Amino acid sequence: EQLKSAKGHERQVALLRAIGNSGSVMAHDALKPFLNAKDETLRSTAVSALRWNPSDFAETILLGNLDKDPSEAIRLVVIEAYGLRPMTEAAVLAHAKAAVSDASSKVRVGALLNLMRARFRQPHVIGVVKRATTKDPDPTVRKKAKEMLEDET
């Protein structure tokens, strides 16, 4: 209720952060209006608020934003969230897609890092990282992927 009646951008951001820190699945309704906000700060804060939320709703929103949000900043928020969340099979698939096809080299590197974090439970992800060492269009991403694999050995 406080979020709906909050006056001012800063107050809304503060309340969205507080909701995120709670990790409550009861926060879905409060977050929904902000998940598609035109204001990128409100949208990224709302998306980030799902990082501790264990629900399928949160997973769907996060992975949808990783795949389709036009903002690099929002996609990076999702990558950061999955540094904290479990890498489900759906998350692994979405990260593999992002690692190969995202327009942002920062998102691709972040996706590769999250995939490496999942490698013990899902060893097939190593193939995506290996691919990046030779196929990624950005030499920095190729180098970082090689470093990830070297750190592995």
Side-chain angles (χ1 to χ4, degrees):
E1 192 61 40
Q2 284 183 359
L3 186 56
K4 284 182 184 176
S5 63
K7 300 223 189 302
H9 188 264
E10 288 179 21
R11 179 72 177 145
Q12 289 176 322
V13 168
L15 289 169
L16 286 167
R17 286 185 180 143
I19 289 169
N21 288 337
S22 77
S24 173
V25 296
M26 297 172 63
H28 296 168
D29 288 340
L31 292 173
K32 280 181 185 175
F34 297 93
L35 292 169
N36 295 312
K38 291 193 188 322
D39 181 294
E40 194 170 289
T41 302
L42 289 175
R43 192 166 81 248
S44 69
T45 306
V47 170
S48 178
L50 296 170
R51 68 193 178 283
W52 299 115
N53 191 308
S55 69
D56 290 340
F57 170 83
E59 174 115 335
T60 299
I61 296 298
L62 288 167
L63 296 181
N65 277 284
L66 179 58
D67 186 41
K68 293 188 171 52
D69 199 290
S71 167
E72 175 193 57
I74 303 296
R75 296 190 313 276
L76 285 169
V77 165
V78 175
I79 293 293
E80 290 169 13
Y82 274 95
L84 303 169
R85 292 175 66 85
M87 289 288 284
T88 62
E89 187 62 38
V92 166
L93 292 172
H95 278 72
K97 180 179 177 184
V100 171
S101 63
D102 197 277
S104 164
S105 60
K106 291 178 185 176
V107 172
R108 292 195 310 274
V109 168
L112 291 169
L113 286 167
N114 282 347
L115 289 170
M116 285 299 288
R117 196 172 58 79
R119 72 190 179 279
F120 297 113
R121 290 182 187 254
Q122 302 188 36
H124 63 280
V125 302
I126 296 291
V128 178
V129 182
K130 284 181 180 176
R131 181 201 175 281
T133 65
T134 59
K135 304 284 188 203
D136 195 277
D138 185 329
T140 304
V141 176
R142 292 193 302 267
K143 181 181 179 203
K144 289 189 183 287
K146 286 177 188 168
E147 290 169 358
M148 288 176 210
L149 292 173
E150 288 168 1
D151 290 346
E152 170 69 8
T153 57

